């Protein structure tokens, strides 16, 4: 039997390793790998001979940042929900207001003329806003709003006492008398005969409407540069600008006997009230307040009447055209006037238009009006 020769190492001497070692087996390699730090587990294996409490602290793994794509999808979903909600609210307001809007047979059906023409009428129908025993209705305010195919939008105030010839009869009288005799449709026919323009849309508001709309927008600021104490309209005014509630705005619109220009001055103040109401209606305080929006739509629809076939969209378009006419780029005023106190039928006082008015209507239709085209006093 052969004996393996073993090299003895003297006592106290360090062992000398053999010159080479055989390669490690696969099992040994996997064992070493298991002892290495794995960041997925958050801790390192205990070091041989070192208690766990004294092992060096290993850094905690960092969380993966959220993907931008996920945030973008959530934002897109939120925007879609927001757009849907706004659209649904708009449809509700339109339906709510359109169902409360008054309708009347007003248009003549005459062939259309260039541009878009609205007839805006303020009826003096007595309601809760006015304590008056006067019977029947008259056109207290008559405005012709025209948007030409090219040119500036114009708002023309037609004096209610304008001397006209009534269609079909040949009789002469005041413009507002056409409303008393034949209602909205006969007034439309009379205005069309006077101006040569076909009325595309008819919008009417009663006296209560001025008061209610003013209160609906929280009041408006109005300006008048002289003192007024008018018993007929009830207006008490100190020269300057003041915040007016509905009752005051209505009296401000009706007053004419204390105005040096009579009906012409009243037309100017009525345009001022309309402009102030529109400005407040599109203010952030109303546009950003759903309750205020609903109240305004309801109050507006309750006091307005449009032609048969008209809708709340008719009112909206008229409002935008009014805004354009009253704004910096628009035109407004009365047609050329020859006399404010012309003797009419039965000795009544009427407003006589000047001969230049014939060209005025042509320029209005074609969008050629300028500030100099209007009456000046």
């Amino acid at each position: 039997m052969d004996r393996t020769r073993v090299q003895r190492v003297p006592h106290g001497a360090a062992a000398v390793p053999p010159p080479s070692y055989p390669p490690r087996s696969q099992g040994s390699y996997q064992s070493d790998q298991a002892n290495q730090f794995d960041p997925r587990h958050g801790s390192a294996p205990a070091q041989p001979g070192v208690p766990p409490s004294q092992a060096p602290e290993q850094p905690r793994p960092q969380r993966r940042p959220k993907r931008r794509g996920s945030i973008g999808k959530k934002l897109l979903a939120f925007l879609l929900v927001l757009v849907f909600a706004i659209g649904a609210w708009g449809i509700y307001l339109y339906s709510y207001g359109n169902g409360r809007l008054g309708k009347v047979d007003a248009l003549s059906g005459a062939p259309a003329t260039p541009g878009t023409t609205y007839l805006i009428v303020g009826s003096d129908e007595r309601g809760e806003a006015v304590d008056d025993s006067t019977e029947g209705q008259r056109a207290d305010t008559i405005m012709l709003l025209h948007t030409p195919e090219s040119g500036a939008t114009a708002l023309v105030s037609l004096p209610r006492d304008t001397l006209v010839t009534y269609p079909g009869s040949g009789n002469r009288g005041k413009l507002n008398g056409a409303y008393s005799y034949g209602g909205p449709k006969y007034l439309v026919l009379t205005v069309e005969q006077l101006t040569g323009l076909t009325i595309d849309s008819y919008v009417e508001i009663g006296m209560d409407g001025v008061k209610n709309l003013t209160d609906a927008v929280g009041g408006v600021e109005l300006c008048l540069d002289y003192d007024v104490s008018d018993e007929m309209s009830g207006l008490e005014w100190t020269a300057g600008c003041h915040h007016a509630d509905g009752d005051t705005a209505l009296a401000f619109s009706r007053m004419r006997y204390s105005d040096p220009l009579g009906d012409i001055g009243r037309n100017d103040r009525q345009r001022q009230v309309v402009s102030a109401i529109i400005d407040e209606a599109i203010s952030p305080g109303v546009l950003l307040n759903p309750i205020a929006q609903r109240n305004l739509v309801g109050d507006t629809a309750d006091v307005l009447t449009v032609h048969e076939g008209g809708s709340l969209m008719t009112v909206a378009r008229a409002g935008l055209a009014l805004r354009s006419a009253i704004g910096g780029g628009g035109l407004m005023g009365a047609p050329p006037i020859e006399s404010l106190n012309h003797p009419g039928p039965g000795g009544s006082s009427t407003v006589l238009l000047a001969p230049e008015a014939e060209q005025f209507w042509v320029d209005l239709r074609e969008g050629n009006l300028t500030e100099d085209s209007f009456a000046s006093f």
Side-chain angles (χ1 to χ4, degrees), residues 53 76 113 132 189 244 290 333:
S53 60
L76 178 60
T113 50
D132 195 319
L189 286 169

Side-chain angles (χ1 to χ4, degrees), residues 17-376:
S20 61
Y21 292 90
R24 296 181 179 178
S25 64
Q26 184 176 1
S28 174
Y29 174 78
Q30 292 177 348
S31 176
D32 288 346
Q33 288 288 94
N35 289 330
Q36 294 181 3
F37 171 68
D38 186 351
R40 292 174 299 177
H41 298 290
S43 62
Q47 299 181 11
V50 179
S53 60
Q54 298 180 9
E57 183 178 355
Q58 299 297 330
R60 295 182 178 180
Q62 296 181 353
R63 295 182 178 179
R64 295 181 180 179
K66 295 183 178 180
R67 295 180 179 178
R68 293 183 179 180
S70 176
I71 297 177
K73 290 180 180 179
K74 291 181 179 180
L75 179 59
L76 178 60
F78 171 77
L79 292 176
L80 290 175
V81 171
L82 181 62
V83 170
F84 177 80
I86 294 175
W89 178 246
I91 293 174
Y92 164 75
L93 287 179
Y94 182 83
S95 177
Y96 170 70
N98 205 47
R100 302 165 73 109
L101 201 61
K103 304 289 179 63
V104 66
D105 182 17
L107 302 185
S108 67
T113 50
T116 303
T117 307
Y118 303 85
L119 185 63
I120 302 175
V121 176
S123 167
D124 67 352
E125 178 184 11
R126 270 57 182 168
E128 295 179 0
V130 179
D131 183 12
D132 195 319
S133 59
T134 302
E135 296 182 357
Q137 291 180 244
R138 293 169 296 181
D140 195 56
T141 302
I142 306 171
M143 296 182 183
L144 196 66
L145 177 63
H146 181 70
T147 302
E149 293 180 345
S150 64
T153 300
L155 178 63
V156 181
S157 293
L158 301 175
R160 70 175 195 170
D161 292 339
T162 299
L163 183 61
V164 297
T165 300
Y166 296 132
S169 70
N171 296 327
R172 306 192 79 191
K174 296 181 178 181
L175 178 59
N176 70 336
Y179 188 95
S180 301
Y181 299 150
K185 192 167 188 175
Y186 196 60
L187 176 62
V188 166
L189 286 169
T190 304
V191 171
E192 289 180 342
Q193 179 177 278
L194 175 67
T195 66
L197 288 163
T198 296
I199 305 302
D200 299 301
S201 296
Y202 177 89
V203 180
E204 180 182 323
I205 181 172
M207 282 189 173
D208 282 344
V210 175
K211 174 183 180 300
N212 295 345
L213 290 182
T214 301
D215 288 334
V217 297
V220 296
E221 185 175 272
L222 302 174
C223 300
L224 191 60
D225 58 3
Y226 56 88
D227 296 342
V228 176
S229 180
D230 186 73
E231 183 179 353
M232 294 295 293
S233 65
L235 179 64
E236 298 292 335
W237 191 270
T238 301
C241 297
H242 306 286
H243 189 79
D245 61 8
D247 289 322
T248 304
L250 176 58
F252 189 89
S253 301
R254 296 182 63 219
M255 187 272 290
R256 69 168 176 160
Y257 292 103
S258 298
D259 193 312
L261 294 178
D263 199 37
I264 301 301
R266 179 170 67 169
N267 288 342
D268 290 340
R269 283 180 279 104
Q270 289 169 345
R271 290 195 298 268
Q272 184 183 162
V273 172
V274 170
S275 176
I277 291 176
I278 292 176
D279 285 342
E280 290 298 328
I282 61 176
S283 66
V286 174
L287 293 180
L288 301 179
N289 186 335
I291 296 178
Q293 291 175 11
R294 186 179 186 277
N295 291 341
L296 180 60
V297 169
D299 290 340
T300 299
D302 285 344
V303 300
L304 291 183
T305 299
V306 298
H307 61 273
E308 291 287 354
S311 65
L312 201 61
M313 187 60 68
T314 303
V315 177
R317 289 171 179 165
L320 291 175
L322 273 170
R323 176 72 176 172
S324 177
I326 296 173
L331 299 167
M332 57 183 179
I337 293 174
E338 183 173 304
S339 175
L340 293 173
N341 190 23
H342 180 77
S348 61
S349 176
T350 66
V351 174
L352 181 64
L353 298 185
E356 295 80 15
E358 292 298 326
Q359 184 61 41
F360 178 90
W361 305 126
V362 175
D363 291 339
L364 173 65
R365 180 174 63 248
E366 296 179 354
N368 293 329
L369 285 182
T370 66
E371 292 183 358
D372 295 333
S373 303
F374 294 89
S376 58

